[in-house]
Structures are given as C-alpha cells and as structure tokens.
C-alpha cells in the first residue's frame, strides 16, 4: 500500500465530481451470463468477452457470439 505525506482524502461527493458521476446503467464491469436463472461471471463456451466503450469515460464488457 502506498502512503503519502500530507495526502488529502476526498469525500464521496468530491470523488463523484472528479470522476464525472455514476457509471451508465448499461455499462457492465465484467462479462456475465445466466445458467438456470443464476447469474455467472464470464461467458458461455460459444461466446467471447468483448470490451467496448460505453462513453468517453467508462469501458464495459459483454459476451458476444464467436
């Protein structure tokens, strides 16, 4: 862990202002799929995880057919 002398901590509001707010609703962090109604991380064998740009700030991932 890095430690800085005289480091300033930011409040949640300050951090949101710095990062541009909340993540877009249709911008998943990781690839997911459902098996028997349960959400699983990763893609099924017949798909691949593809990274895409949600907007100018955020990158998302989704499962796409091979």
């Amino acid at each position: 862990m890095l430690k800085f002398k005289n480091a300033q901590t930011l409040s949640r509001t300050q951090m949101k202002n710095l990062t541009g707010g909340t993540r877009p609703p249709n911008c998943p962090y990781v690839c997911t799929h459902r098996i028997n109604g349960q959400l699983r991380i990763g893609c099924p064998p017949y798909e691949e995880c593809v990274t895409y740009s949600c907007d100018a700030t955020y990158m998302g991932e989704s499962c796409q057919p091979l």
Side-chain angles (χ1 to χ4, degrees):
M1 180 201 292
L2 295 174
K3 293 185 179 182
F4 297 99
K5 291 182 180 180
N6 301 323
Q8 180 182 0
T9 59
L10 299 176
S11 70
R12 185 170 187 247
T13 303
Q14 289 170 319
M15 186 62 89
K16 283 174 100 176
N17 290 339
L18 181 66
T19 60
T22 60
R23 189 174 186 83
N26 295 325
C27 189
Y29 286 103
V30 295
C31 291
T32 58
H33 67 287
R34 291 193 179 276
I35 296 177
N36 297 328
Q38 292 184 338
L39 191 63
R40 307 285 177 132
I41 293 176
C43 296
Y46 51 87
E47 293 184 349
E48 66 179 339
C49 188
V50 176
T51 302
Y52 64 95
S53 176
C54 297
D55 60 21
T57 306
Y58 296 101
M59 299 297 287
E61 292 185 345
S62 69
C63 293
Q64 299 294 320
L66 292 173

